[in-house]
Amino acid sequence: MNRTSNRVGLVVGCILILIWCLLPVAWIISLSFKSEASITNGNPGFFPGDGTGAGWDNYKAVWDNEQFRRAIFNSIGISLIATLLSVIVATLAAYAIARLEFRGKKLVLTIALAIAMFPVVSLIGPLFDMWRATGLYDTWPGLIIPYMSFTLPLAIWTLSAFFREIPWEMEQAAQVDGATSWQAFRKVIVPLAAPGVFTAAILTFFFAWNDFVFGISLTSTENARPIPASLSFFVGADPFNRPASLLAAGAVIATIPIIVIVLIFQRKIVAGLTSGAVKG
Amino acid sequence: MTTVTAPATGGHRRADKPEVSDRARAETRLGQRLVAPAVILMLIVTAFPMLRAIYLSTFDYALTAPDDRNFIGVRNYVTALTDPLFWQTTGVTVLYMVITVAIELVIGFIFAMVMHRVIFARGVIRTSILVPYGIITVVSGFAWQFAFSYQNGFINGWLPFVGDDFNWFGQTGSGIVAIMVSEIWKTTPFMSLLLLAGLAQVSEDMIEAAKVDGATWTQRLTKVILPNMRAAIMVAVLFRALDAYRIFDNIFVMTAGAVKTESISFLTYRQTIEQFQLGMGSALSVLLFLSVLLVAFLIVKLFRVDLAQARQES
C-alpha cells in the first residue's frame, strides 16, 4: 500500500472517530437550545428551526429546579467521598498484591474479578431490604458503600499494575537502611505511586458518577438521589413524552464535570485504562 | 477471613532457616491485613446480599404484605423458568450482547488501528474518544432516544430509507436497534482503548519482516497482528460481553422495557423495585447471577481466555 493512500485513510479514520464521538454530544447541546413549546409541538431536525431557539431558557429552568440542584450536589459529594475512600482501601490492597507474598492473594484477585463481573441488578432486591432495615436507605452512606465495593476491583486492578512498574530497589534500600515494611511503603512508595493512585481515582469517580441502578433503587427522595437517577425521573414515567429540551439541558450540565476531567487528565486516563485491564 | 494467620506454615518450613520463616510470616500477616478492608467491603455488598437473595427466593414474599410471608421452596424458580417471559427476555439479552460486542469489536479495532498509526492530533483524538466513555449512560440513552424520536429527532430526516414519521420505539426490532446504537456508541471507546493496548504490544519488527517477505496488508493483519494481540482481544470481549449482558440503563431510559425490549436485568428490577415482589425478584436475581456465571464460563472456555497470562502473571 503506498504512502499517500495510507495517509488519506488515516485522515478519514480520524474524521470518522471525531464524528462518532462528538456528533451525539453536539446533538444534545443543540437540542438543549430548542424551545420547550416547539418540542411539545414536534420540532424535528438537528438544529433548532427558525424561531424555535430558546437561548439559555432551558438552562435557567433546569438550574432553578431545586431537585436538580440537590441531585448535582448529591452526585458530587457521594462520588468524591466514594472515590477517596475506595482509593485509600484499594491502595493498601494493591500494594500487598503487587509486592508481598501471602496466602490468599489468588483468592483476593479472584474475588475482585468476580465482583467486576457481578450483575448489579441482582443485588438491589436484598440491598433494598437490608438498607431499609438498617436505616441506610435514601442516605449518602447507603450509596457510598456499594460504590466503593464496585469500584474497588477496577482500582485494585489498575493500581497493582502501576505498582509493579515502580523501581522497588528503592524500597529495599530503605529496608536495608533499617525501615520496616510499613515505613518503606509509606515514605518511599506512596510518593512514587501517586500518579497511579490519581488515575485510579479518576476511573473510580467516573464509575460513581455514571451509576444508575443503585441510584434509582436505593434512594427515594432528593436526600441522596444522584444526577442520573434524577434525570430519569425528571418528569413523569412516560418515556415517550418527555420535556426533551429541558432534559437535554440537564444532561449537558451533568456532563460538564466529566468533560473537564477528560480535558485535563486525558493522558492519565488512557494510561490507566490500558495498563489496568490488559498489560501486567 | 483474611485475619486468619497461618500458624501451620511455620512448622512445615525448613527448620535451619528460622529467620526466613519469621519474615515470610510477617509478610503474610501484613499482606492479609492490607487486603482485609478491601475484601470485607467487596463481600459486604455482594456475598451477603446474594446469600440473602437465595434465602428470600424460597419465600412467597411481597413488600406490600410483609407479614404474609410463606415458605414455598423452589416454586419461585419453577414459576420463573416455565414462564415464556423469562426465556424471551433472556433471548433478547443474549441478542443485545452478541450483536453489540461483535459490532464494537470491529469498530473498536478500526479506531484502535487509527489511533495507533496517527501521529498528528493524537491528543485531540484521544480526548474525544474519552468523551463517550465518560458520559453518563443515562445521558447517552436520552441523546439517542431524542435523536431517534420522530417528533424532535434528526435521524429520520437523515436516513433516506426511513419515513419522517417512523416511530423507532413502536415495535420490538427497531426499538432494540435504537437501544443497541446507544450502547455501542457509549462503549466502543472502551473497547478500542483495550485493543489499542494490545496493538501496542505487537512488535513493529515482526510486521516489517512480514512486509519484506511480501505479505499483503490482509495477510499481515490476519497472520501477524491479530494472533499476537489475541490475549487483549479476548479480555476485551470477556469484559464487554459480561457488561452488555447486564444491560439496564439504556433500556430503562429509552423504552422502559416496552415493546418487548426488556432485558433480564430489567425484568429483575421490575419485579423487585416496581412490583415489590421480593421473593420472586430474589429468585430472578439468583437466576441472573447464575446466567452471568454461565456466560463468563462459556466465554472463558470457548475462547480459552487466560486472564493470568493477559496480566502477565504466573
Side-chain angles (χ1 to χ4, degrees), chain A residues 95 99 170-182 184, chain B residues 23:
Chain A
Y95 171 81
R99 285 302 295 158
M170 291 184 63
E171 187 197 28
Q172 277 155 8
Q175 280 177 335
V176 168
D177 287 347
T180 63
S181 295
W182 170 247
Chain B
R23 219 191 121 74

mmCIF file of all heavy atoms in Angstrom, chain A residues 95 99 170-182 184, chain B residues 23:
data_model
loop_
_atom_site.group_PDB
_atom_site.id
_atom_site.type_symbol
_atom_site.label_atom_id
_atom_site.label_comp_id
_atom_site.label_asym_id
_atom_site.label_seq_id
_atom_site.Cartn_x
_atom_site.Cartn_y
_atom_site.Cartn_z
ATOM 1 N N TYR A 95 -0.977 -2.649 46.946
ATOM 2 C CA TYR A 95 0.416 -2.748 47.373
ATOM 3 C C TYR A 95 0.725 -4.176 47.807
ATOM 4 O O TYR A 95 1.720 -4.769 47.390
ATOM 5 C CB TYR A 95 0.695 -1.779 48.518
ATOM 6 C CG TYR A 95 2.064 -1.979 49.140
ATOM 7 C CD1 TYR A 95 3.193 -1.442 48.536
ATOM 8 C CD2 TYR A 95 2.219 -2.719 50.300
ATOM 9 C CE1 TYR A 95 4.442 -1.640 49.070
ATOM 10 C CE2 TYR A 95 3.467 -2.925 50.850
ATOM 11 C CZ TYR A 95 4.577 -2.378 50.241
ATOM 12 O OH TYR A 95 5.817 -2.580 50.775
ATOM 13 N N ARG A 99 3.376 -6.491 45.786
ATOM 14 C CA ARG A 99 4.673 -6.570 46.425
ATOM 15 C C ARG A 99 4.883 -7.727 47.385
ATOM 16 O O ARG A 99 6.002 -8.150 47.597
ATOM 17 C CB ARG A 99 4.928 -5.258 47.207
ATOM 18 C CG ARG A 99 5.280 -4.111 46.338
ATOM 19 C CD ARG A 99 6.511 -4.419 45.523
ATOM 20 N NE ARG A 99 7.689 -4.589 46.343
ATOM 21 C CZ ARG A 99 8.771 -5.259 45.963
ATOM 22 N NH1 ARG A 99 8.793 -5.837 44.795
ATOM 23 N NH2 ARG A 99 9.813 -5.352 46.763
ATOM 24 N N MET A 170 14.420 0.821 45.476
ATOM 25 C CA MET A 170 14.401 1.919 46.449
ATOM 26 C C MET A 170 13.775 1.490 47.761
ATOM 27 O O MET A 170 14.192 1.908 48.830
ATOM 28 C CB MET A 170 13.644 3.103 45.864
ATOM 29 C CG MET A 170 14.413 3.738 44.733
ATOM 30 S SD MET A 170 13.623 5.196 44.103
ATOM 31 C CE MET A 170 13.662 6.249 45.528
ATOM 32 N N GLU A 171 12.761 0.630 47.633
ATOM 33 C CA GLU A 171 12.135 0.138 48.847
ATOM 34 C C GLU A 171 13.119 -0.734 49.628
ATOM 35 O O GLU A 171 13.243 -0.617 50.848
ATOM 36 C CB GLU A 171 10.880 -0.663 48.505
ATOM 37 C CG GLU A 171 10.090 -1.068 49.733
ATOM 38 C CD GLU A 171 9.116 -2.191 49.436
ATOM 39 O OE1 GLU A 171 9.397 -2.983 48.524
ATOM 40 O OE2 GLU A 171 8.093 -2.268 50.122
ATOM 41 N N GLN A 172 13.821 -1.591 48.862
ATOM 42 C CA GLN A 172 14.796 -2.454 49.524
ATOM 43 C C GLN A 172 15.901 -1.624 50.177
ATOM 44 O O GLN A 172 16.330 -1.912 51.287
ATOM 45 C CB GLN A 172 15.394 -3.440 48.525
ATOM 46 C CG GLN A 172 14.496 -4.651 48.336
ATOM 47 C CD GLN A 172 14.677 -5.331 46.995
ATOM 48 O OE1 GLN A 172 15.588 -4.980 46.242
ATOM 49 N NE2 GLN A 172 13.831 -6.283 46.717
ATOM 50 N N ALA A 173 16.308 -0.584 49.448
ATOM 51 C CA ALA A 173 17.336 0.293 50.010
ATOM 52 C C ALA A 173 16.880 0.871 51.344
ATOM 53 O O ALA A 173 17.632 0.913 52.323
ATOM 54 C CB ALA A 173 17.656 1.411 49.020
ATOM 55 N N ALA A 174 15.617 1.283 51.380
ATOM 56 C CA ALA A 174 15.076 1.836 52.617
ATOM 57 C C ALA A 174 15.064 0.781 53.713
ATOM 58 O O ALA A 174 15.377 1.059 54.876
ATOM 59 C CB ALA A 174 13.665 2.373 52.378
ATOM 60 N N GLN A 175 14.736 -0.466 53.313
ATOM 61 C CA GLN A 175 14.686 -1.528 54.315
ATOM 62 C C GLN A 175 16.080 -1.877 54.810
ATOM 63 O O GLN A 175 16.269 -2.170 55.990
ATOM 64 C CB GLN A 175 13.983 -2.761 53.739
ATOM 65 C CG GLN A 175 12.473 -2.597 53.771
ATOM 66 C CD GLN A 175 11.740 -3.763 53.151
ATOM 67 O OE1 GLN A 175 12.284 -4.471 52.316
ATOM 68 N NE2 GLN A 175 10.503 -3.939 53.544
ATOM 69 N N VAL A 176 17.071 -1.825 53.889
ATOM 70 C CA VAL A 176 18.453 -2.059 54.303
ATOM 71 C C VAL A 176 18.873 -0.994 55.315
ATOM 72 O O VAL A 176 19.546 -1.269 56.305
ATOM 73 C CB VAL A 176 19.393 -2.051 53.078
ATOM 74 C CG1 VAL A 176 20.842 -1.986 53.523
ATOM 75 C CG2 VAL A 176 19.140 -3.275 52.230
ATOM 76 N N ASP A 177 18.403 0.230 55.064
ATOM 77 C CA ASP A 177 18.730 1.322 55.987
ATOM 78 C C ASP A 177 17.961 1.233 57.294
ATOM 79 O O ASP A 177 18.039 2.133 58.129
ATOM 80 C CB ASP A 177 18.427 2.671 55.326
ATOM 81 C CG ASP A 177 19.443 2.989 54.249
ATOM 82 O OD1 ASP A 177 20.476 2.289 54.214
ATOM 83 O OD2 ASP A 177 19.204 3.903 53.444
ATOM 84 N N GLY A 178 17.151 0.197 57.449
ATOM 85 C CA GLY A 178 16.505 -0.014 58.736
ATOM 86 C C GLY A 178 15.028 0.274 58.785
ATOM 87 O O GLY A 178 14.422 0.199 59.859
ATOM 88 N N ALA A 179 14.423 0.613 57.657
ATOM 89 C CA ALA A 179 12.995 0.866 57.672
ATOM 90 C C ALA A 179 12.229 -0.460 57.692
ATOM 91 O O ALA A 179 12.685 -1.451 57.139
ATOM 92 C CB ALA A 179 12.593 1.671 56.438
ATOM 93 N N THR A 180 11.070 -0.463 58.353
ATOM 94 C CA THR A 180 10.224 -1.662 58.313
ATOM 95 C C THR A 180 9.465 -1.682 56.997
ATOM 96 O O THR A 180 9.484 -0.711 56.238
ATOM 97 C CB THR A 180 9.206 -1.630 59.458
ATOM 98 O OG1 THR A 180 8.349 -0.500 59.249
ATOM 99 C CG2 THR A 180 9.887 -1.526 60.803
ATOM 100 N N SER A 181 8.766 -2.795 56.741
ATOM 101 C CA SER A 181 7.948 -2.894 55.520
ATOM 102 C C SER A 181 6.972 -1.733 55.441
ATOM 103 O O SER A 181 6.762 -1.138 54.393
ATOM 104 C CB SER A 181 7.165 -4.210 55.508
ATOM 105 O OG SER A 181 8.030 -5.292 55.423
ATOM 106 N N TRP A 182 6.371 -1.422 56.573
ATOM 107 C CA TRP A 182 5.362 -0.356 56.601
ATOM 108 C C TRP A 182 5.971 1.011 56.307
ATOM 109 O O TRP A 182 5.436 1.788 55.518
ATOM 110 C CB TRP A 182 4.657 -0.372 57.951
ATOM 111 C CG TRP A 182 3.772 0.820 58.174
ATOM 112 C CD1 TRP A 182 3.947 1.804 59.080
ATOM 113 C CD2 TRP A 182 2.587 1.144 57.453
ATOM 114 N NE1 TRP A 182 2.944 2.731 58.968
ATOM 115 C CE2 TRP A 182 2.087 2.351 57.974
ATOM 116 C CE3 TRP A 182 1.890 0.543 56.397
ATOM 117 C CZ2 TRP A 182 0.944 2.960 57.492
ATOM 118 C CZ3 TRP A 182 0.740 1.157 55.926
ATOM 119 C CH2 TRP A 182 0.277 2.343 56.470
ATOM 120 N N ALA A 184 8.740 1.588 54.689
ATOM 121 C CA ALA A 184 9.166 1.610 53.298
ATOM 122 C C ALA A 184 7.973 1.926 52.402
ATOM 123 O O ALA A 184 8.088 2.668 51.428
ATOM 124 C CB ALA A 184 9.769 0.266 52.916
ATOM 125 N N ARG B 23 10.206 -13.908 58.658
ATOM 126 C CA ARG B 23 9.976 -12.827 57.713
ATOM 127 C C ARG B 23 8.764 -13.138 56.845
ATOM 128 O O ARG B 23 7.909 -12.276 56.616
ATOM 129 C CB ARG B 23 11.215 -12.661 56.835
ATOM 130 C CG ARG B 23 11.534 -11.217 56.540
ATOM 131 C CD ARG B 23 12.572 -11.087 55.472
ATOM 132 N NE ARG B 23 12.002 -10.320 54.376
ATOM 133 C CZ ARG B 23 11.801 -9.016 54.435
ATOM 134 N NH1 ARG B 23 12.114 -8.343 55.518
ATOM 135 N NH2 ARG B 23 11.288 -8.373 53.410
#
